[in-house]
Amino acid sequence: MTIQFAYWVPNVSGGLVISRIPQHTDWGYDYNVKLAQTAEKVGFDYGLVQTRFIANYGAEQQLEALTTVAALAPVTQRLKLISGVLPGLWHPGVVAKMGATIDFLSKGRFCLNIVSGWFKDEFTIYGEHWLDHDERYRRSEEFIRVLKGLWTEDEFHFKGDFYRINGGWVKPKPINQNPHPEIFQGGNSKAARRMAGRVSDWYFMNGNTIEGAREQIEEVSALARAEGRTIKFGLNAFIIVRDTEQEAHEVLREIIAQADREAVEGFGEAVKQAGSATREKTGMWANSNFEDLVQYNDGFRSGLIGTKEQVAEKIQQFHEAGVDLILGGFLHCSDDLPAFGRDVIPLVHQLESRRPERSLVAV
């Protein structure tokens, strides 16, 4: 399988780093239309629209994810559009109907990213009960089972701890029936990994080293095989490509030097509800330091920082370790995203063509 590429749709203000450094990006609709059209022209396969409901880490303005995907669908042609969604704030039956509609209108380009939730205030301000970490993943698993059932069965019944469906159906069915729209999820904890092995099509990993990514891929692949399933893997990375390695790392140093310390520390407090709250004390952000949190999905850790040749080679190494998709974030979306598509994606594909097919991940 050829490695694929996604980008973070900037549908919230503040950019993708918690820093006062200038960023050539914008959260508005017109800007995102142009960026999505550019992304699909230069080789990106997916755009991920993040889900936020209230301000955090500088994201004072937020375009809601599902409606943003619906708005971007008619102005794009090839790009697959992934909407984040928060179980607990949405009912899976409603999301199944909306998703099938967007998939129908986009001719099969709708995908979902199930976000189990780490930002407690986002739930409590709406009067929703805040569940313990592993319970949030149990709810997400039921959420996915309901989606799949409504998308694939003519009459679906479900009785779970969080949801009940009494003979429900969705018509029209999604066009993208393989057998349903692709379902992504994130999370690095043991609960997240077990859930991914049972029900998800894609497992998103926070930024990590090649060795760290390989460890997750091996474990989740084994969990999926035990369920008679296969799963694909996406890796978050903040990408800085410049003419020299020194220039690229100087940009990184400047981002961190101008970090908004109060906002970064506030984000760090908020995400304690995530990985470090688990029994195993593992998971998203459990071991993240201040510099990691400046890019709020540990994107610096993936190390895609350097010349176009260095970044392409590192991506190929991740691919050989089992990564199927790179989810890229950029400092200057207006400039860095098209440059990455023009200069780096072709180099990655050239490297792929020169190397033997990736071997199966060992267990």
Side-chain angles (χ1 to χ4, degrees), residues 23 35 58 65 80 143 192 202 214 237 248 306 352:
Q23 300 181 60
L35 192 66
K80 293 183 179 181
F143 194 98
W202 285 87
R214 183 183 288 113
E352 285 180 328

Side-chain angles (χ1 to χ4, degrees), residues 112-139:
L112 265 180
N113 181 37
I114 307 303
V115 182
S116 295
W118 53 265
F119 190 12
K120 182 178 181 180
D121 291 351
E122 210 158 31
F123 288 78
T124 58
I125 63 164
Y126 294 120
E128 291 294 326
H129 181 61
W130 179 246
L131 300 177
D132 289 340
H133 178 276
D134 287 9
E135 288 294 283
R136 299 199 297 275
Y137 280 93
R138 280 213 313 125
R139 176 172 62 189

Side-chain angles (χ1 to χ4, degrees), residues 12-304:
V12 305
S13 61
L16 288 175
V17 290
I18 312 175
S19 176
R20 296 184 176 90
I21 192 170
Q23 300 181 60
H24 302 162
T25 186
D26 189 80
W27 60 274
Y29 175 66
D30 290 342
Y31 179 87
N32 272 296
V33 168
K34 293 178 182 177
L35 192 66
Q37 292 171 340
T38 298
E40 66 180 1
K41 287 178 183 176
V42 300
F44 284 85
D45 304 283
Y46 296 85
L48 173 60
V49 183
Q50 57 188 298
T51 179
R52 282 276 67 80
F53 282 85
I54 61 174
N56 187 257
Y57 53 82
E60 295 293 330
Q61 308 287 342
Q62 318 98 27
L63 297 179
E64 192 279 321
L66 275 164
T67 44
T68 298
V69 162
L72 291 176
V75 296
T76 51
Q77 297 180 344
R78 186 185 62 82
L79 194 69
K80 293 183 179 181
L81 298 163
I82 312 169
S83 172
V85 68
L86 283 162
L89 297 185
W90 290 96
H91 189 282
V94 175
V95 173
K97 185 64 174 178
M98 293 175 69
T101 300
I102 299 171
D103 196 68
F104 181 81
L105 297 175
S106 67
K107 297 180 174 60
R109 293 186 289 121
F110 175 75
C111 311
L112 265 180
N113 181 37
I114 307 303
V115 182
S116 295
W118 53 265
F119 190 12
K120 182 178 181 180
D121 291 351
E122 210 158 31
F123 288 78
T124 58
I125 63 164
Y126 294 120
E128 291 294 326
H129 181 61
W130 179 246
L131 300 177
D132 289 340
H133 178 276
D134 287 9
E135 288 294 283
R136 299 199 297 275
Y137 280 93
R138 280 213 313 125
R139 176 172 62 189
S140 290
E141 182 169 337
E142 285 194 11
F143 194 98
I144 292 173
R145 292 187 186 279
V146 171
L147 289 173
K148 290 182 176 180
L150 289 171
W151 281 339
T152 60
E153 298 184 23
D154 291 331
E155 183 177 308
F156 180 61
H157 295 265
F158 184 84
K159 184 177 181 181
D161 293 333
F162 302 95
Y163 303 110
R164 302 284 195 278
I165 303 294
N166 303 309
W169 71 90
V170 167
K171 292 183 181 179
K173 297 291 187 191
I175 291 175
N176 185 7
Q177 294 187 37
N178 292 309
H180 50 69
E182 292 172 290
I183 296 174
F184 294 71
Q185 74 158 90
N188 291 345
S189 66
K190 295 296 183 181
R193 299 181 192 201
R194 290 190 292 267
M195 171 185 150
R198 288 191 291 262
V199 296
S200 296
D201 302 312
W202 285 87
Y203 178 69
F204 269 140
M205 300 175 287
N206 262 17
N208 211 330
T209 63
I210 292 170
E211 293 74 20
R214 183 183 288 113
E215 179 271 325
Q216 291 183 67
I217 289 166
E218 290 176 352
E219 181 177 343
V220 177
S221 294
L223 291 168
R225 277 194 298 275
E227 299 287 334
R229 307 178 65 249
T230 59
I231 189 167
K232 292 181 282 190
F233 297 89
L235 177 74
N236 183 65
F238 193 80
I239 301 168
I240 304 174
V241 178
R242 296 295 185 266
D243 290 338
T244 68
E245 182 179 10
Q246 181 179 350
E247 287 178 88
H249 282 276
E250 183 57 38
V251 173
L252 175 60
R253 284 190 289 272
E254 191 63 24
I255 291 171
I256 294 170
Q258 296 194 47
D260 183 336
R261 179 165 291 277
E262 183 179 353
V264 173
E265 290 176 349
F267 176 69
E269 285 297 313
V271 299
K272 286 182 179 179
Q273 303 291 338
S276 59
T278 66
R279 290 191 301 271
E280 302 91 353
K281 302 298 180 184
T282 61
M284 293 178 71
W285 305 291
N287 300 308
S288 301
N289 60 30
F290 178 88
E291 292 186 2
D292 296 328
L293 294 174
V294 173
Q295 202 294 304
Y296 42 80
N297 281 98
D298 289 341
F300 301 147
R301 284 187 172 187
S302 299
L304 299 189

